[in-house]
Every structure is written in C-alpha cells, then in structure tokens.
Amino acid sequence: MRVGYLQFGPLFGSKKENHERVADFLSGVKAHLIVLPELYSTGYLFESKQELLGFAEDEGGESFNFLKQLSRDTGAAIVASIAERVGEDCYNTCLLCSEGEIKAKYRKIHLFDREKEIFTPGNLPFTVCDLDGVRIGLMVCFDWIFPESARILALKGAQIICHPSNLVLPYCPRAMITRCIENGVFAITTNRVGTEARAGLELKFIGLSQVVAPRGDILVRADEEEEGIRIIDIDPSLADDKMVTQRNHLIEDRRVEFYGDLCGPDR
Ligand code: ACM
C-alpha cells in the first residue's frame, strides 16, 4: 500500500492559494493514502473565536468539497483536518475522503493551549474506517500526548493511524515511535512548516513529518523546513502481529482489572 504525507506551510486565511498548492503537490502522485497537515486550508493562529467562525465551514464548505474532489482526482484516500462550523461551535475536524465521499469524520478531542478558547472539544468517538480492507484510525495533533487516543484506535482495530498535526512542541515525533511500538501500528504524522505571527504570538511549526512502523522504525521523515510529498510502500498487515515475544501479546496481556483508576475519579 502506497502511503505518505504532504508537509507544507499553509498561508493563513488563504484557502484558495492553499488548495492550489495542495493540488499542485499531489498532481501526478500515485498513492493509496495521503495525510495533509492539521488545518491545512486556513492556517492555525486565529485571533479570536469570532475570526475562526468566519473561516469555519459546514459540510457544504470549500474545504469539504476540495478534499472530496481531491480524493476523486488523485484516486488516493485523503486525510486532513479543517475548521468545521456547527451553529456557534467550531470543531477541529479530521476527515477521511475517498472516491469523492467523506468516509470518516473525527473531531479533535484534546485541544491544545489557546485552542481551548476558540474551538469546541470533539464530541465524536475515536473512529476507525475500513478502506478496501485496511483499517485506518484518525487522531489530530495534541491527541498524541494522551496514550489513550492511539490505544483506543488500536483496540478498535486500526492498522494505520493518520495524524494531521500543527506541532510546535518538540516531543511528538519521538513519542509517536512509542505509540507505534506499544500498539503495534503504523502512524503517519503530517506536520506543517513555517511560522505564524498573529494575535501577538509567534509560533514556529517543527516539520519532521514521518511514517513510523509497528516496531518503531522511522520509515521516512522530513526535515524541519522542507515542503513536499513523500510516499512509501508499506504492508498494513504487519500491524496485525501483536506478539512482542512468543509469550507476550500487546493487547491480550493487558491486566485491565488493575487499570480501573485510568477512568476513575481524578487523582
Ligand atoms: C496542536 O495540537 N496543534 C499542537
């Protein structure tokens, strides 16, 4: 299966230009699954919820339509996050589009920093979508720091976790290696590059998009600045082998009777 990432630097507020760039990057590319960065069409650093509301879209919106059409034009499944508007709420919504349709939708559950002031936390369960027999799980950026996110996707059968991101902290690319090892899954983390200076803040995004294999090997990783697409061949069925040794199974060896505190009252 040919999978990969498109790492680039979206221009804040310029959906038309961002869509043209994504379409150019993907033109002529042969792949089954491509992951774009988080909020690839709008950029990230909104001044206020009011500003975000102006960019966020309902299901008929420009980015929804673009992603559906892109999946039709390229023949690849496309995963990306966009700003979704539902009434006065805005979600950081991850879509999996294939053959011109939305096949799965997930709304970012764990909001990062200022996102808490402008986005509404996701209200949909973690989701795994069957794509021609390959099971694809969705999470968005800061979900990585909660190991429960990747674990739930693995328990739901995900073989490949797609992870659109706008990373600013340096830890995630390393942490995702552990997420892959502890769950026996592939992960495609697509980050953006560049800097946004708005709302009196400046954020530098760290790049380092990567595809990691179930035993933690980094199959491909971008550098901190480059823009471009990387596609590699993987065998998703490698994620079905959950044996760590002949006697240790990543899922079946869990001792859930000792894990009750995980979901109990805080501290
Ligand atoms: C992030 O969740 N965009 C860091």
Side-chain angles (χ1 to χ4, degrees), residues 51-262:
E51 185 180 59
L52 172 60
L53 278 165
F55 284 107
E57 305 170 22
D58 63 24
E59 283 224 6
E62 187 179 339
S63 306
F64 283 90
N65 289 333
F66 173 79
L67 292 171
K68 288 192 276 187
Q69 189 60 42
L70 188 68
S71 72
R72 202 191 302 277
D73 292 346
T74 58
I78 308 288
V79 174
S81 105
I82 62 173
E84 181 191 20
R85 179 170 183 163
V86 181
E88 291 304 297
D89 288 317
C90 292
Y91 296 99
N92 187 331
T93 295
C94 184
L95 302 176
L96 188 162
C97 296
S98 173
E99 296 173 334
E101 291 174 17
I102 298 172
K103 303 282 189 193
K105 182 195 260 197
Y106 161 73
R107 292 173 174 151
K108 184 176 185 178
I109 286 176
H110 302 105
L111 298 178
F112 178 67
D113 201 27
R114 274 181 90 249
E115 290 172 30
K116 289 188 168 192
E117 288 169 22
I118 58 174
F119 284 98
T120 302
N123 57 357
L124 301 175
F126 287 106
T127 182
V128 172
C129 172
D130 190 300
L131 198 69
D132 297 327
V134 179
R135 297 181 303 276
I136 312 291
L138 305 179
M139 64 186 217
V140 177
C141 204
F142 197 53
D143 285 329
W144 72 266
I145 209 165
F146 301 90
E148 294 86 351
S149 311
R151 175 64 101 196
I152 290 168
L153 291 171
L155 290 173
K156 288 186 162 186
Q159 295 165 305
I160 305 173
I161 292 178
C162 294
H163 182 208
S165 295
N166 272 190
L167 298 166
V168 289
L169 302 178
Y171 322 110
C172 173
R174 283 175 278 150
M176 286 307 291
I177 295 170
T178 303
R179 297 288 168 273
C180 290
I181 295 170
E182 67 200 4
N183 293 296
V185 295
F186 289 91
I188 307 169
T189 296
T190 301
N191 193 21
R192 60 163 290 179
V193 293
T195 301
E196 276 184 14
R198 310 191 74 249
L201 296 167
E202 183 168 301
L203 290 184
K204 172 153 174 45
F205 300 95
I206 67 166
L208 302 174
S209 298
Q210 63 185 15
V211 183
V212 179
R215 297 291 173 261
D217 296 314
I218 302 166
L219 301 178
V220 59
R221 181 185 268 178
D223 73 17
E224 292 163 17
E225 316 258 314
E226 72 186 85
E227 296 193 309
I229 185 156
R230 286 298 300 271
I231 303 294
I232 59 165
D233 238 312
I234 64 166
D235 175 0
S237 73
L238 294 177
D240 298 336
D241 176 8
K242 303 298 188 195
M243 300 308 292
V244 186
T245 70
Q246 282 188 347
R247 295 179 186 79
N248 292 108
H249 190 283
L250 286 172
I251 305 299
E252 290 169 9
D253 278 14
R254 289 173 307 135
R255 301 287 309 280
V256 294
E257 65 272 35
F258 291 103
Y259 301 168
D261 287 347
L262 272 180

